[in-house]
Amino acid sequence: MNVKLILNQEDLNTAFARVEQLWGAGIGSPEGDDLETLALLIEKYEDEHYPMPPSDPIEALKFRVDQQGLTR
């Protein structure tokens, strides 16, 4: 694989297309290594360009209670 940093949206789209091709590759195989490398590069790009703010703890608890079908 020709490893290339993801610098823009076009690079990201190309990386996602390659991930789809490699999906299901065996762990430790050359294709599996390529998949893992791409996943790390995608994660780095998304962390820098689409940061997730920390969730509000109270809202997280309310969500969990709702998901479990519980009440206060």
Side-chain angles (χ1 to χ4, degrees), residues 21-63:
Q21 294 171 351
L22 295 171
W23 197 254
I27 296 172
S29 68
E31 293 82 11
D33 292 345
D34 289 350
L35 180 60
E36 188 171 353
T37 301
L38 281 171
L40 292 170
L41 290 171
I42 289 169
E43 180 181 22
K44 180 183 182 310
Y45 181 86
E46 288 184 338
D47 286 348
E48 291 175 1
H49 292 86
Y50 305 105
M52 295 284 294
S55 62
D56 177 53
I58 301 299
E59 290 303 315
L61 286 172
K62 287 179 183 177
F63 177 78

